[in-house]
Amino acid sequence: MTHDPRPFGRLLTAMVTPFTADGSLDLDGAARLAAHLVDEQRNDALVISGTTGESPTTTDAEKDALLRVVVEAVGDRARIVAGVGTNNTAHTIELAHAAEKAGAHGLLVVTPYYNKPPQAGVERHFTSVADSTGLPIMAYDIPHRAGTAIATETLCRIAEHERIVAVKDAKGDLIASSWVLARTDLAYYSGDDAATLPLLSIGGVGLVGTSTHFTGSLAKDMIEAFERGDTAAALALHRRAMPLFTGIFRSPGTMLVKAGLNALGLPAGPVRSPLVDAGDEELNQLRQDAAAAGLVL
């Protein structure tokens, strides 16, 4: 099976979901933020309703409305990937069907979390979703959140499915990722901003970022420098961006991204419980991290 080597481009941001002051969905704000991320931060694609988009606390109806407005706003110039992963295969399939109807270009499907299925269950979950849709799928491997890793052999088996084309790799195991890259044609995207350059060095193709709400242009330059063989420039950009690549996770990334966007006057609004809005001390630290990367928040 041969897939597009970069099915979702090089740079994706897992977009936060803007809310109004009363905590309701801000659809106008979502359209404006999506345009900013594509036109100013140079994203090739956006992930809508990922964890950074507070998918655990948005309803299915809100996810659908959000996806439709983002597709309408930027779907003509960026690929829109809908986060549909849950720990219930049937519900994930329902969300996949809804996302396809809403105009998504691809799906992000996380490993089932909390119920910790065996690898046979993990494999069946991904292939069942892939069988149910015509959209390409990015499997999200994040064991420190999901509680279960996608084993190397499982990744190699699901890679045989024509619609499972990519991995968002937040496993933190470059050796395991190297083996999968050597044995499949899955496109590997870093799920950890700071690990992007190391992953590129073993065959990865890009980043699904969080700090890229602010560092998108830097990250895009880094990826493109590596691809054209200018590893010195790529390393310099990696080192420049590191304070914000890592600093965005001093607290849960959604909290700090929204604090930074609000400070810039961009749509974000509050977070929903059980998250809490970042305080002044956290925002000041974020500004210091941004300054260390040569950016102003």
Side-chain angles (χ1 to χ4, degrees), residues 53 70 90 103 111 113 117 161 207 214 278:
V70 172
T111 318
Y113 41 84
H161 198 293
L207 166 64
F214 314 110

PDB file of all heavy atoms in Angstrom, residues 53 70 90 103 111 113 117 161 207 214 278:
ATOM      1  N   GLY A  53      -8.804  21.005  21.867  1.00  0.00           N
ATOM      2  CA  GLY A  53     -10.073  21.664  21.575  1.00  0.00           C
ATOM      3  C   GLY A  53     -11.165  21.365  22.586  1.00  0.00           C
ATOM      4  O   GLY A  53     -12.338  21.638  22.330  1.00  0.00           O
ATOM      5  N   VAL A  70     -15.666  25.766  10.616  1.00  0.00           N
ATOM      6  CA  VAL A  70     -14.250  25.807  10.245  1.00  0.00           C
ATOM      7  C   VAL A  70     -14.054  25.343   8.805  1.00  0.00           C
ATOM      8  O   VAL A  70     -13.266  25.931   8.054  1.00  0.00           O
ATOM      9  CB  VAL A  70     -13.404  24.975  11.237  1.00  0.00           C
ATOM     10  CG1 VAL A  70     -11.962  24.861  10.751  1.00  0.00           C
ATOM     11  CG2 VAL A  70     -13.440  25.607  12.623  1.00  0.00           C
ATOM     12  N   ALA A  90     -18.470   2.239  18.932  1.00  0.00           N
ATOM     13  CA  ALA A  90     -19.717   2.611  18.263  1.00  0.00           C
ATOM     14  C   ALA A  90     -19.901   4.121  18.231  1.00  0.00           C
ATOM     15  O   ALA A  90     -20.319   4.690  17.213  1.00  0.00           O
ATOM     16  CB  ALA A  90     -20.902   1.942  18.950  1.00  0.00           C
ATOM     17  N   GLY A 103     -18.118  17.624   6.131  1.00  0.00           N
ATOM     18  CA  GLY A 103     -17.112  18.093   5.189  1.00  0.00           C
ATOM     19  C   GLY A 103     -15.673  17.944   5.629  1.00  0.00           C
ATOM     20  O   GLY A 103     -14.768  18.503   4.993  1.00  0.00           O
ATOM     21  N   THR A 111      -6.296   6.304  20.654  1.00  0.00           N
ATOM     22  CA  THR A 111      -6.417   5.004  21.302  1.00  0.00           C
ATOM     23  C   THR A 111      -7.516   5.059  22.355  1.00  0.00           C
ATOM     24  O   THR A 111      -7.584   6.023  23.119  1.00  0.00           O
ATOM     25  CB  THR A 111      -5.094   4.641  22.010  1.00  0.00           C
ATOM     26  OG1 THR A 111      -4.003   4.981  21.177  1.00  0.00           O
ATOM     27  CG2 THR A 111      -5.057   3.166  22.363  1.00  0.00           C
ATOM     28  N   TYR A 113      -9.291   5.127  25.643  1.00  0.00           N
ATOM     29  CA  TYR A 113      -8.671   5.507  26.914  1.00  0.00           C
ATOM     30  C   TYR A 113      -9.474   4.955  28.090  1.00  0.00           C
ATOM     31  O   TYR A 113     -10.655   4.644  27.987  1.00  0.00           O
ATOM     32  CB  TYR A 113      -8.574   7.033  27.027  1.00  0.00           C
ATOM     33  CG  TYR A 113      -9.818   7.744  26.527  1.00  0.00           C
ATOM     34  CD1 TYR A 113     -10.922   7.928  27.338  1.00  0.00           C
ATOM     35  CD2 TYR A 113      -9.880   8.194  25.207  1.00  0.00           C
ATOM     36  CE1 TYR A 113     -12.074   8.543  26.868  1.00  0.00           C
ATOM     37  CE2 TYR A 113     -11.027   8.813  24.724  1.00  0.00           C
ATOM     38  CZ  TYR A 113     -12.119   8.978  25.559  1.00  0.00           C
ATOM     39  OH  TYR A 113     -13.255   9.577  25.085  1.00  0.00           O
ATOM     40  N   PRO A 117      -8.130  -1.444  26.547  1.00  0.00           N
ATOM     41  CA  PRO A 117      -8.346  -2.685  25.799  1.00  0.00           C
ATOM     42  C   PRO A 117      -7.027  -3.380  25.482  1.00  0.00           C
ATOM     43  O   PRO A 117      -5.973  -2.740  25.398  1.00  0.00           O
ATOM     44  CB  PRO A 117      -9.024  -2.199  24.514  1.00  0.00           C
ATOM     45  CG  PRO A 117      -8.543  -0.794  24.347  1.00  0.00           C
ATOM     46  CD  PRO A 117      -8.418  -0.250  25.741  1.00  0.00           C
ATOM     47  N   HIS A 161      -4.513  -1.242   6.333  1.00  0.00           N
ATOM     48  CA  HIS A 161      -5.815  -0.717   5.936  1.00  0.00           C
ATOM     49  C   HIS A 161      -5.611   0.511   5.058  1.00  0.00           C
ATOM     50  O   HIS A 161      -4.852   1.418   5.404  1.00  0.00           O
ATOM     51  CB  HIS A 161      -6.646  -0.355   7.159  1.00  0.00           C
ATOM     52  CG  HIS A 161      -8.103  -0.218   6.878  1.00  0.00           C
ATOM     53  ND1 HIS A 161      -8.632   0.796   6.091  1.00  0.00           N
ATOM     54  CD2 HIS A 161      -9.163  -0.985   7.260  1.00  0.00           C
ATOM     55  CE1 HIS A 161      -9.943   0.645   6.020  1.00  0.00           C
ATOM     56  NE2 HIS A 161     -10.291  -0.423   6.706  1.00  0.00           N
ATOM     57  N   LEU A 207       4.255  17.879  12.108  1.00  0.00           N
ATOM     58  CA  LEU A 207       3.870  18.156  13.493  1.00  0.00           C
ATOM     59  C   LEU A 207       2.383  18.435  13.585  1.00  0.00           C
ATOM     60  O   LEU A 207       1.831  19.161  12.750  1.00  0.00           O
ATOM     61  CB  LEU A 207       4.651  19.379  13.999  1.00  0.00           C
ATOM     62  CG  LEU A 207       4.185  20.062  15.300  1.00  0.00           C
ATOM     63  CD1 LEU A 207       4.326  19.123  16.499  1.00  0.00           C
ATOM     64  CD2 LEU A 207       4.981  21.353  15.525  1.00  0.00           C
ATOM     65  N   PHE A 214       1.118  29.854  18.229  1.00  0.00           N
ATOM     66  CA  PHE A 214       2.028  31.012  18.258  1.00  0.00           C
ATOM     67  C   PHE A 214       3.315  30.747  17.473  1.00  0.00           C
ATOM     68  O   PHE A 214       3.883  31.668  16.900  1.00  0.00           O
ATOM     69  CB  PHE A 214       2.391  31.353  19.705  1.00  0.00           C
ATOM     70  CG  PHE A 214       1.210  31.380  20.638  1.00  0.00           C
ATOM     71  CD1 PHE A 214       1.045  30.394  21.606  1.00  0.00           C
ATOM     72  CD2 PHE A 214       0.247  32.367  20.529  1.00  0.00           C
ATOM     73  CE1 PHE A 214      -0.050  30.405  22.456  1.00  0.00           C
ATOM     74  CE2 PHE A 214      -0.860  32.387  21.373  1.00  0.00           C
ATOM     75  CZ  PHE A 214      -1.008  31.398  22.339  1.00  0.00           C
ATOM     76  N   ALA A 278      -6.025  30.057  33.132  1.00  0.00           N
ATOM     77  CA  ALA A 278      -4.686  30.368  33.616  1.00  0.00           C
ATOM     78  C   ALA A 278      -4.699  31.702  34.357  1.00  0.00           C
ATOM     79  O   ALA A 278      -5.389  32.642  33.967  1.00  0.00           O
ATOM     80  CB  ALA A 278      -3.699  30.419  32.450  1.00  0.00           C
TER      81      ALA A 278
END
